[in-house]
């Protein structure tokens, strides 16, 4: 089939690489300009560079809604558009242009985690598996019929970076497998159950601020979700920002006020956490490594030289 690809960052790069290695003919690529957004500078392999290295025409757009681009797409005469990590709305006159429509590749197990940053949100929420879904695009966000979906398990110590590497390797088989079904003339795909749909927004600074009233188990997953190269989850100590680089759930239970710097346990320093911390039935968060406002990274036991005081959401 003649394929036009819409994509960006490493997800788009892996998709284009899979298409170039397939039996299909990539006739045009549409990608975004480089971004300075903190999350968009991560996993930022260039789709444009890969396309140009293979002689594929490239259009660079923030939004795909101008007449010049539409004319180029019509001239390219695609059988199908394949999109992965395209960051803005694709209008119906474009996604409906190809003979077989538009296949969107999304890094979640739809209908859950439609929208943005699905791996981070899924890890924070304690999901047991994540994956990649290829679905036909329609008027709703990430809502079209599912052509192919593959899942991988979330391990007990997995970080968002681990899950990225697990799922990015699914892009090629899911994309090529879905295109094989489309090329074979199949059209009877699996409708999504909209009652199960969940939608998530882009990650921002406010989303990595630690709220010590959250359960320690959730905070531990937040720290893993915000592992390098993502910005670390942070709190404040004595009015200064303190990043939590690594942490585990405490073995013992600790009561008191959320945020209290309480006790050394193993290699960590336990911080009281949870919505009902005063009952003493909660685990605490045993912080093991921190990063100070001036960029020093050190063991929590070296940073917290005495117990007492509080970690707070704001200075």
């Amino acid at each position: 089939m003649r394929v036009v690809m819409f994509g960006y960052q490493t997800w788009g790069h892996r998709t284009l690489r899979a298409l170039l290695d397939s039996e299909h003919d990539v006739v045009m690529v549409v990608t975004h300009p480089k971004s300075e957004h903190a999350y968009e500078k991560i996993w930022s392999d260039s789709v444009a560079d890969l396309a140009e290295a293979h002689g594929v025409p490239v259009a660079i757009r923030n939004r795909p809604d101008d007449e010049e681009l539409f004319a180029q797409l019509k001239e390219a005469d695609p059988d199908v558009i394949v999109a992965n990590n395209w960051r803005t709305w694709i209008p119906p006159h474009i996604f409906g242009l190809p003979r077989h429509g538009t296949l969107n590749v999304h890094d979640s197990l739809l209908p859950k985690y439609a929208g943005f940053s699905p791996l981070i949100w899924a890890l924070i929420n304690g999901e047991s598996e994540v994956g990649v879904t290829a679905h036909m695009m329609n008027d709703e966000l990430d809502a079209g019929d599912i052509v192919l979906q593959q899942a991988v398990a979330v391990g007990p110590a997995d970080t968002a970076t681990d899950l990225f590497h697990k799922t990015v390797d699914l892009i090629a088989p899911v994309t090529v497998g879905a295109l094989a079904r489309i090329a074979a003339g199949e059209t009877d795909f699996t409708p999504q159950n909209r009652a199960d749909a969940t939608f998530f927004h882009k990650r921002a600074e406010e989303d990595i601020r630690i709220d010590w009233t959250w359960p320690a188990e959730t905070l531990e997953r937040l720290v893993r979700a915000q592992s390098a190269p993502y910005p670390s989850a942070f709190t404040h100590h004595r009015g200064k920002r303190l990043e939590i680089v690594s942490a585990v759930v405490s073995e013992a239970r600790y009561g008191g006020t959320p945020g209290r710097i309480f006790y050394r346990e193993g290699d960590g320093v336990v911080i009281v956490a949870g919505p009902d911390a005063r009952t003493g039935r909660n685990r605490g968060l045993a912080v093991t490594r921190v990063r100070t406002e001036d960029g020093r990274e050190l063991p929590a036991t070296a940073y917290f030289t005495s117990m007492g005081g509080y970690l707070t959401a704001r200075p």
Side-chain angles (χ1 to χ4, degrees):
M1 293 188 293
R2 292 173 61 83
V3 181
V4 168
M5 200 211 79
F6 279 64
Y8 186 51
Q9 296 178 280
T10 301
W11 295 270
H13 189 278
R14 286 292 189 99
T15 305
L16 179 56
R17 178 78 269 169
L19 293 171
L20 291 169
D21 290 343
S22 75
E23 62 183 356
H24 306 291
D25 183 16
V26 183
V27 295
M28 183 178 174
V29 163
V30 186
T31 189
H32 294 302
K34 290 182 179 180
S35 169
E36 291 303 310
H37 187 283
Y39 285 84
E40 293 186 359
K41 292 194 292 184
I42 302 170
W43 318 125
S44 57
D45 293 306
S46 173
V47 170
D49 288 352
L50 179 60
E52 289 167 357
H54 287 80
V56 179
V58 178
I60 297 178
R61 295 289 192 281
N62 281 310
R63 301 183 63 85
D65 52 6
D66 60 274
E67 289 302 318
E68 179 185 5
L69 178 62
F70 186 56
Q72 291 175 316
L73 291 169
K74 287 176 68 176
E75 185 176 350
D77 191 30
D79 293 304
V80 65
I81 290 174
V82 175
N84 191 348
N85 199 41
W86 182 261
R87 312 294 280 178
T88 59
W89 181 61
I90 298 177
H93 71 278
I94 289 182
F95 73 67
L97 175 66
R99 280 174 282 279
H100 297 294
T102 293
L103 180 77
N104 186 51
V105 182
H106 182 71
D107 55 334
S108 84
L109 296 175
L110 293 174
K112 286 187 171 184
Y113 298 97
F116 297 90
S117 304
L119 293 178
I120 294 178
W121 289 113
L123 179 52
I124 292 169
N125 291 333
E127 299 291 350
S128 62
E129 59 181 11
V130 294
V132 171
T133 302
H135 69 95
M136 301 309 299
M137 188 174 287
N138 63 15
D139 287 334
E140 296 184 65
L141 177 64
D142 296 332
D145 291 355
I146 293 172
V147 182
L148 195 63
Q149 185 176 80
Q150 290 187 18
V152 290
V154 177
D158 275 348
T159 66
T161 300
D162 295 325
L163 298 184
F164 165 81
H165 289 298
K166 286 183 178 184
T167 55
V168 79
D169 287 340
L170 298 179
I171 288 174
V174 168
T175 302
V176 174
L179 287 178
R181 294 191 67 187
I182 294 169
E186 293 186 50
T187 57
D188 186 18
F189 304 127
T190 304
Q192 295 189 42
N193 182 352
R194 304 312 297 150
D196 293 335
T198 57
F199 300 87
F200 287 84
H201 57 75
K202 292 181 181 180
R203 302 287 294 175
E205 179 85 351
E206 191 62 26
D207 304 310
I208 61 176
R209 186 189 305 276
I210 292 176
D211 181 345
W212 292 104
T213 66
W214 285 14
E217 293 80 2
T218 305
L219 292 177
E220 186 270 341
R221 294 195 299 268
L222 172 65
V223 171
R224 282 192 283 129
Q226 295 297 148
S227 62
Y230 297 101
S232 296
F234 72 95
T235 186
H236 286 86
H237 182 226
R238 297 175 178 170
K240 293 185 177 181
R241 180 178 174 127
L242 184 68
E243 296 182 353
I244 307 302
V245 177
S246 62
V248 296
V249 177
S250 70
E251 294 183 7
R253 300 179 187 275
Y254 296 86
T257 301
R260 175 75 176 190
I261 304 161
F262 195 163
Y263 190 74
R264 290 189 179 187
E265 183 185 279
D267 294 330
V269 173
V270 176
I271 313 301
V272 177
D276 57 349
R278 289 171 180 79
T279 67
R281 292 194 293 267
N282 289 358
R283 306 286 179 181
L285 186 72
V287 176
T288 53
R289 290 193 71 79
V290 299
R291 185 181 298 113
T292 62
E293 202 167 67
D294 60 5
R296 293 183 302 124
E297 184 176 320
L298 65 163
T301 51
Y303 175 81
F304 295 106
T305 55
S306 61
M307 300 299 101
Y310 294 85
L311 299 182
T312 57
R314 301 185 187 278

